[in-house]
Amino acid sequence: QVQLVESGGGLVQAGDSLRLSCAASGRTVPTYAMTWFRQAPGKEREFVTGMRWTSASRISADSVKDRFTISRDSAKNTVYLQMNSLKPEDTAVYYCAVSTRYNSDLRSRARYDYWGQGTQVTVSS
């Protein structure tokens, strides 16, 4: 079984920065894409930003693309989410997800095979 463990969440003020990590461990599986989603209370889980592993191409939601950056460390099987200029509306549980096969739409939750437990990010005003 593959395990994804998110870390780096916490309580910050609006305008602050935070970096989340997602480390993969356990059974080795092919990686097509690693992606960040988030879920705020009372809302559905939504796409934030993702990366196709081989090409390192990125796609981001319009709400975060000027502020958030996804990056990777292949040797550590880890992806990061650098979040700058945080806003209260960024408050959510952030989840890491992995697609093991071709994924034509990184925005779709249905395309992912493994999920982490999430890490809480709270941005105060």
Side-chain angles (χ1 to χ4, degrees):
Q1 186 176 357
V2 174
Q3 290 184 321
L4 302 176
V5 180
E6 302 96 337
S7 62
L11 174 63
V12 298
Q13 295 182 341
D16 285 352
S17 297
L18 204 59
R19 191 176 80 157
L20 307 183
S21 299
C22 174
S25 62
R27 180 168 59 91
T28 301
V29 296
T31 300
Y32 178 79
M34 295 190 72
T35 298
W36 290 95
F37 290 80
R38 68 186 181 187
Q39 187 167 19
K43 297 183 178 180
E44 294 185 354
R45 194 168 299 185
E46 67 175 356
F47 168 82
V48 178
T49 182
M51 174 184 290
R52 294 183 173 89
W53 203 250
T54 300
S55 65
S57 61
R58 306 170 186 173
I59 185 170
S60 299
D62 289 342
S63 61
V64 307
K65 66 180 181 180
D66 294 329
R67 300 181 294 118
F68 292 8
T69 302
I70 186 171
S71 61
R72 69 181 183 185
D73 186 335
S74 297
K76 296 181 178 180
N77 292 321
T78 300
V79 294
Y80 304 95
L81 181 62
Q82 179 65 46
M83 303 184 292
N84 298 325
S85 301
L86 283 162
K87 304 175 181 179
E89 50 263 44
D90 295 318
T91 295
V93 177
Y94 284 72
Y95 297 90
C96 178
V98 169
S99 294
T100 62
R101 301 175 66 87
Y102 173 74
N103 184 343
S104 62
D105 184 7
L106 270 60
R107 298 176 180 269
S108 175
R109 291 171 292 173
R111 304 286 184 168
Y112 294 88
D113 305 293
Y114 299 99
W115 293 83
Q117 296 298 309
T119 185
Q120 177 72 48
V121 173
T122 302
V123 185
S124 65
S125 59

